[in-house]
Amino acid sequence: MVRWRSGTVLAVRRRWHGAAEVEVRTGDGDLRALAYPALVGDPEPGDRVLLNVGALVMGLGTGGYALVVALPDRLPADPLADGTTRDAGHLVKARYTPLQAIRLGVDEEASPHRAVLESATSLDGMPVVTADLHSALPAILAGVRADRPDCRVAYVMTDGGALPAWFSRTLDGLRGHLAGTITTGQAFGGDLEASTVHTGLLAARHVLGADVTVVAQGPGNLGTGTTWGFSGVALGEAVNAIGTLGGRPVGSLRISDGDGRPRHRGVSHHSLTAYGRVALLRADLPVPDGLEPHLAREIDAALAPLAERHHLVRVPTGGLDRALRESPVGLSTMGRGLDQDHAYFLAAAAAGRHAAALLSPACAPG
């Protein structure tokens, strides 16, 4: 459950969109904490803060942070909108938790996009790349932009990892490079909010005008090391949603030559389960050329059982390394950079390149 601490803010170390990193003095010593000002207010030196330190104490994946729950002596003002009606939105995210957030949904009655979403029934063949981990997003974007720099790419963030989009410094760095972020399910804090992956996908196409969309969970990943016990299993369900809505599913394979865990080397068991056992509709599964021969043989053998259900696509990788190194944000997955797990990022970029290849000669005007 929750491990509580009380402390005093010593300094605000840095800020990015939607988040503030602070240094806090507690009875257990000084530690780093993360606050989301839209939820708890904007911390300043001298503020008393209440913290949740459970994941930090256990060494779990919260980026090494305690999380600010409240500034009890300086509560933020109520939102500027009335808040007693649904005119400013009524989508409740992180529902029935003490920090549930009420947001304006892209398709609800008060939304300026309601009419568009009411009439939208199809993705019009839009390529949608699904990825197991949030860290694949900038690599997929690099692959798209390597060949089609003019195309609009949207990001649909699911709730398998971080719920606040504000946690992601990657998204902060990609502002201006993406058509927008849509947070779905219990996730919140995107440019648009949607209740489901389905409405998120339709909003990406018909509100943001995306040519390509990427679907992945937020930062972090729940995994137990068992076949079904990982949050990325939802990838298969996303493939089903994309195909049902008339999109073109493109599965970014989680491939690694740097992960020390056997279940994630070669093709991760996450990809094999999500695409091989959960996805019921056909997807393109891009496989990058140019991998080290032993790794390539291992990948081919692992993917062979998926060939009856999905379309395995060989993707040339010329120019992708350069595109990855020119990414506007740093590349990192599980603490490994591009050179420590090159195959992982190359596979994600290959998925982006393949998605770009599926587009018509002219992308939608942006």
Side-chain angles (χ1 to χ4, degrees), residues 255-257 265-267 290-302 314 343:
I255 290 173
S256 177
D257 57 358
R265 290 188 66 84
V267 182
L291 297 175
E292 187 273 327
H294 176 76
L295 178 63
R297 288 193 295 271
E298 184 178 349
I299 290 168
D300 288 344
R314 293 286 175 184

PDB file of all heavy atoms in Angstrom, residues 255-257 265-267 290-302 314 343:
ATOM      1  N   ILE A 255      12.637  -6.180 -29.959  1.00  0.00           N
ATOM      2  CA  ILE A 255      13.821  -6.990 -30.262  1.00  0.00           C
ATOM      3  C   ILE A 255      14.994  -6.426 -29.480  1.00  0.00           C
ATOM      4  O   ILE A 255      15.147  -5.211 -29.372  1.00  0.00           O
ATOM      5  CB  ILE A 255      14.115  -6.954 -31.780  1.00  0.00           C
ATOM      6  CG1 ILE A 255      13.039  -7.737 -32.544  1.00  0.00           C
ATOM      7  CG2 ILE A 255      15.504  -7.501 -32.099  1.00  0.00           C
ATOM      8  CD1 ILE A 255      13.153  -7.619 -34.049  1.00  0.00           C
ATOM      9  N   SER A 256      15.821  -7.294 -28.929  1.00  0.00           N
ATOM     10  CA  SER A 256      16.952  -6.793 -28.143  1.00  0.00           C
ATOM     11  C   SER A 256      18.178  -7.671 -28.306  1.00  0.00           C
ATOM     12  O   SER A 256      18.083  -8.901 -28.342  1.00  0.00           O
ATOM     13  CB  SER A 256      16.573  -6.727 -26.659  1.00  0.00           C
ATOM     14  OG  SER A 256      17.679  -6.307 -25.885  1.00  0.00           O
ATOM     15  N   ASP A 257      19.323  -7.002 -28.419  1.00  0.00           N
ATOM     16  CA  ASP A 257      20.598  -7.696 -28.314  1.00  0.00           C
ATOM     17  C   ASP A 257      21.371  -7.223 -27.091  1.00  0.00           C
ATOM     18  O   ASP A 257      22.531  -7.572 -26.909  1.00  0.00           O
ATOM     19  CB  ASP A 257      21.442  -7.511 -29.576  1.00  0.00           C
ATOM     20  CG  ASP A 257      21.707  -6.045 -29.897  1.00  0.00           C
ATOM     21  OD1 ASP A 257      21.212  -5.156 -29.161  1.00  0.00           O
ATOM     22  OD2 ASP A 257      22.405  -5.778 -30.905  1.00  0.00           O
ATOM     23  N   ARG A 265      15.551 -11.355 -24.903  1.00  0.00           N
ATOM     24  CA  ARG A 265      16.576 -11.327 -25.942  1.00  0.00           C
ATOM     25  C   ARG A 265      16.020 -11.904 -27.240  1.00  0.00           C
ATOM     26  O   ARG A 265      15.134 -12.744 -27.236  1.00  0.00           O
ATOM     27  CB  ARG A 265      17.827 -12.104 -25.516  1.00  0.00           C
ATOM     28  CG  ARG A 265      18.607 -11.408 -24.403  1.00  0.00           C
ATOM     29  CD  ARG A 265      19.942 -12.097 -24.152  1.00  0.00           C
ATOM     30  NE  ARG A 265      20.844 -11.988 -25.288  1.00  0.00           N
ATOM     31  CZ  ARG A 265      21.630 -10.956 -25.517  1.00  0.00           C
ATOM     32  NH1 ARG A 265      21.625  -9.926 -24.692  1.00  0.00           N
ATOM     33  NH2 ARG A 265      22.428 -10.947 -26.549  1.00  0.00           N
ATOM     34  N   GLY A 266      16.564 -11.424 -28.366  1.00  0.00           N
ATOM     35  CA  GLY A 266      15.940 -11.772 -29.635  1.00  0.00           C
ATOM     36  C   GLY A 266      14.604 -11.057 -29.697  1.00  0.00           C
ATOM     37  O   GLY A 266      14.532  -9.840 -29.506  1.00  0.00           O
ATOM     38  N   VAL A 267      13.531 -11.800 -29.942  1.00  0.00           N
ATOM     39  CA  VAL A 267      12.183 -11.227 -29.872  1.00  0.00           C
ATOM     40  C   VAL A 267      11.647 -11.467 -28.469  1.00  0.00           C
ATOM     41  O   VAL A 267      11.569 -12.602 -28.010  1.00  0.00           O
ATOM     42  CB  VAL A 267      11.245 -11.862 -30.918  1.00  0.00           C
ATOM     43  CG1 VAL A 267       9.866 -11.191 -30.851  1.00  0.00           C
ATOM     44  CG2 VAL A 267      11.817 -11.737 -32.320  1.00  0.00           C
ATOM     45  N   GLY A 290      19.819  -6.333 -41.822  1.00  0.00           N
ATOM     46  CA  GLY A 290      21.129  -5.853 -41.394  1.00  0.00           C
ATOM     47  C   GLY A 290      21.491  -6.156 -39.956  1.00  0.00           C
ATOM     48  O   GLY A 290      22.474  -5.610 -39.441  1.00  0.00           O
ATOM     49  N   LEU A 291      20.728  -7.012 -39.277  1.00  0.00           N
ATOM     50  CA  LEU A 291      21.086  -7.385 -37.917  1.00  0.00           C
ATOM     51  C   LEU A 291      22.242  -8.388 -37.932  1.00  0.00           C
ATOM     52  O   LEU A 291      22.513  -9.051 -38.930  1.00  0.00           O
ATOM     53  CB  LEU A 291      19.883  -7.997 -37.197  1.00  0.00           C
ATOM     54  CG  LEU A 291      18.676  -7.086 -36.990  1.00  0.00           C
ATOM     55  CD1 LEU A 291      17.530  -7.874 -36.375  1.00  0.00           C
ATOM     56  CD2 LEU A 291      19.043  -5.895 -36.108  1.00  0.00           C
ATOM     57  N   GLU A 292      22.913  -8.516 -36.814  1.00  0.00           N
ATOM     58  CA  GLU A 292      23.999  -9.492 -36.680  1.00  0.00           C
ATOM     59  C   GLU A 292      23.443 -10.877 -37.006  1.00  0.00           C
ATOM     60  O   GLU A 292      22.329 -11.226 -36.587  1.00  0.00           O
ATOM     61  CB  GLU A 292      24.528  -9.421 -35.244  1.00  0.00           C
ATOM     62  CG  GLU A 292      25.767 -10.260 -34.987  1.00  0.00           C
ATOM     63  CD  GLU A 292      25.434 -11.682 -34.613  1.00  0.00           C
ATOM     64  OE1 GLU A 292      24.397 -11.891 -33.956  1.00  0.00           O
ATOM     65  OE2 GLU A 292      26.200 -12.590 -35.010  1.00  0.00           O
ATOM     66  N   PRO A 293      24.169 -11.685 -37.804  1.00  0.00           N
ATOM     67  CA  PRO A 293      23.599 -12.932 -38.334  1.00  0.00           C
ATOM     68  C   PRO A 293      23.020 -13.872 -37.281  1.00  0.00           C
ATOM     69  O   PRO A 293      21.937 -14.429 -37.480  1.00  0.00           O
ATOM     70  CB  PRO A 293      24.789 -13.575 -39.066  1.00  0.00           C
ATOM     71  CG  PRO A 293      25.628 -12.419 -39.483  1.00  0.00           C
ATOM     72  CD  PRO A 293      25.504 -11.413 -38.363  1.00  0.00           C
ATOM     73  N   HIS A 294      23.707 -14.051 -36.163  1.00  0.00           N
ATOM     74  CA  HIS A 294      23.182 -14.963 -35.134  1.00  0.00           C
ATOM     75  C   HIS A 294      21.860 -14.439 -34.586  1.00  0.00           C
ATOM     76  O   HIS A 294      20.899 -15.201 -34.411  1.00  0.00           O
ATOM     77  CB  HIS A 294      24.203 -15.133 -34.010  1.00  0.00           C
ATOM     78  CG  HIS A 294      23.698 -15.979 -32.879  1.00  0.00           C
ATOM     79  ND1 HIS A 294      23.605 -17.347 -32.964  1.00  0.00           N
ATOM     80  CD2 HIS A 294      23.223 -15.636 -31.636  1.00  0.00           C
ATOM     81  CE1 HIS A 294      23.104 -17.821 -31.834  1.00  0.00           C
ATOM     82  NE2 HIS A 294      22.869 -16.813 -31.009  1.00  0.00           N
ATOM     83  N   LEU A 295      21.792 -13.117 -34.328  1.00  0.00           N
ATOM     84  CA  LEU A 295      20.560 -12.519 -33.823  1.00  0.00           C
ATOM     85  C   LEU A 295      19.450 -12.635 -34.864  1.00  0.00           C
ATOM     86  O   LEU A 295      18.295 -12.947 -34.525  1.00  0.00           O
ATOM     87  CB  LEU A 295      20.802 -11.052 -33.464  1.00  0.00           C
ATOM     88  CG  LEU A 295      19.591 -10.258 -32.956  1.00  0.00           C
ATOM     89  CD1 LEU A 295      19.083 -10.836 -31.641  1.00  0.00           C
ATOM     90  CD2 LEU A 295      19.962  -8.779 -32.779  1.00  0.00           C
ATOM     91  N   ALA A 296      19.775 -12.409 -36.133  1.00  0.00           N
ATOM     92  CA  ALA A 296      18.769 -12.497 -37.195  1.00  0.00           C
ATOM     93  C   ALA A 296      18.179 -13.897 -37.278  1.00  0.00           C
ATOM     94  O   ALA A 296      16.964 -14.065 -37.447  1.00  0.00           O
ATOM     95  CB  ALA A 296      19.389 -12.086 -38.526  1.00  0.00           C
ATOM     96  N   ARG A 297      19.029 -14.924 -37.164  1.00  0.00           N
ATOM     97  CA  ARG A 297      18.524 -16.302 -37.211  1.00  0.00           C
ATOM     98  C   ARG A 297      17.618 -16.587 -36.020  1.00  0.00           C
ATOM     99  O   ARG A 297      16.569 -17.237 -36.153  1.00  0.00           O
ATOM    100  CB  ARG A 297      19.698 -17.279 -37.245  1.00  0.00           C
ATOM    101  CG  ARG A 297      20.461 -17.306 -38.568  1.00  0.00           C
ATOM    102  CD  ARG A 297      21.397 -18.494 -38.630  1.00  0.00           C
ATOM    103  NE  ARG A 297      22.452 -18.412 -37.622  1.00  0.00           N
ATOM    104  CZ  ARG A 297      23.634 -17.813 -37.810  1.00  0.00           C
ATOM    105  NH1 ARG A 297      23.890 -17.217 -38.984  1.00  0.00           N
ATOM    106  NH2 ARG A 297      24.551 -17.788 -36.861  1.00  0.00           N
ATOM    107  N   GLU A 298      18.005 -16.101 -34.853  1.00  0.00           N
ATOM    108  CA  GLU A 298      17.195 -16.298 -33.650  1.00  0.00           C
ATOM    109  C   GLU A 298      15.823 -15.636 -33.803  1.00  0.00           C
ATOM    110  O   GLU A 298      14.789 -16.210 -33.435  1.00  0.00           O
ATOM    111  CB  GLU A 298      17.935 -15.723 -32.444  1.00  0.00           C
ATOM    112  CG  GLU A 298      17.257 -15.947 -31.112  1.00  0.00           C
ATOM    113  CD  GLU A 298      18.064 -15.389 -29.950  1.00  0.00           C
ATOM    114  OE1 GLU A 298      19.244 -15.016 -30.161  1.00  0.00           O
ATOM    115  OE2 GLU A 298      17.508 -15.313 -28.842  1.00  0.00           O
ATOM    116  N   ILE A 299      15.813 -14.437 -34.385  1.00  0.00           N
ATOM    117  CA  ILE A 299      14.557 -13.714 -34.586  1.00  0.00           C
ATOM    118  C   ILE A 299      13.675 -14.435 -35.600  1.00  0.00           C
ATOM    119  O   ILE A 299      12.464 -14.590 -35.396  1.00  0.00           O
ATOM    120  CB  ILE A 299      14.862 -12.272 -35.030  1.00  0.00           C
ATOM    121  CG1 ILE A 299      15.478 -11.486 -33.866  1.00  0.00           C
ATOM    122  CG2 ILE A 299      13.611 -11.576 -35.554  1.00  0.00           C
ATOM    123  CD1 ILE A 299      16.069 -10.165 -34.264  1.00  0.00           C
ATOM    124  N   ASP A 300      14.262 -14.886 -36.713  1.00  0.00           N
ATOM    125  CA  ASP A 300      13.486 -15.583 -37.737  1.00  0.00           C
ATOM    126  C   ASP A 300      12.822 -16.832 -37.161  1.00  0.00           C
ATOM    127  O   ASP A 300      11.652 -17.125 -37.457  1.00  0.00           O
ATOM    128  CB  ASP A 300      14.375 -15.960 -38.916  1.00  0.00           C
ATOM    129  CG  ASP A 300      14.788 -14.762 -39.751  1.00  0.00           C
ATOM    130  OD1 ASP A 300      14.151 -13.696 -39.608  1.00  0.00           O
ATOM    131  OD2 ASP A 300      15.755 -14.886 -40.532  1.00  0.00           O
ATOM    132  N   ALA A 301      13.550 -17.565 -36.337  1.00  0.00           N
ATOM    133  CA  ALA A 301      12.987 -18.785 -35.751  1.00  0.00           C
ATOM    134  C   ALA A 301      11.842 -18.456 -34.794  1.00  0.00           C
ATOM    135  O   ALA A 301      10.813 -19.150 -34.773  1.00  0.00           O
ATOM    136  CB  ALA A 301      14.080 -19.556 -35.016  1.00  0.00           C
ATOM    137  N   ALA A 302      12.010 -17.383 -34.011  1.00  0.00           N
ATOM    138  CA  ALA A 302      10.967 -17.014 -33.050  1.00  0.00           C
ATOM    139  C   ALA A 302       9.704 -16.534 -33.744  1.00  0.00           C
ATOM    140  O   ALA A 302       8.580 -16.779 -33.263  1.00  0.00           O
ATOM    141  CB  ALA A 302      11.496 -15.940 -32.109  1.00  0.00           C
ATOM    142  N   ARG A 314      10.187  -7.559 -44.392  1.00  0.00           N
ATOM    143  CA  ARG A 314      11.600  -7.188 -44.299  1.00  0.00           C
ATOM    144  C   ARG A 314      11.746  -5.702 -44.640  1.00  0.00           C
ATOM    145  O   ARG A 314      11.255  -5.244 -45.671  1.00  0.00           O
ATOM    146  CB  ARG A 314      12.438  -8.018 -45.267  1.00  0.00           C
ATOM    147  CG  ARG A 314      12.499  -9.485 -44.913  1.00  0.00           C
ATOM    148  CD  ARG A 314      13.406  -9.708 -43.723  1.00  0.00           C
ATOM    149  NE  ARG A 314      13.397 -11.080 -43.285  1.00  0.00           N
ATOM    150  CZ  ARG A 314      14.051 -11.539 -42.213  1.00  0.00           C
ATOM    151  NH1 ARG A 314      14.745 -10.666 -41.482  1.00  0.00           N
ATOM    152  NH2 ARG A 314      13.991 -12.800 -41.877  1.00  0.00           N
ATOM    153  N   ALA A 343      19.671  -2.977 -31.588  1.00  0.00           N
ATOM    154  CA  ALA A 343      18.619  -3.710 -32.286  1.00  0.00           C
ATOM    155  C   ALA A 343      17.232  -3.268 -31.842  1.00  0.00           C
ATOM    156  O   ALA A 343      16.294  -3.240 -32.648  1.00  0.00           O
ATOM    157  CB  ALA A 343      18.794  -5.213 -32.060  1.00  0.00           C
TER     158      ALA A 343
END
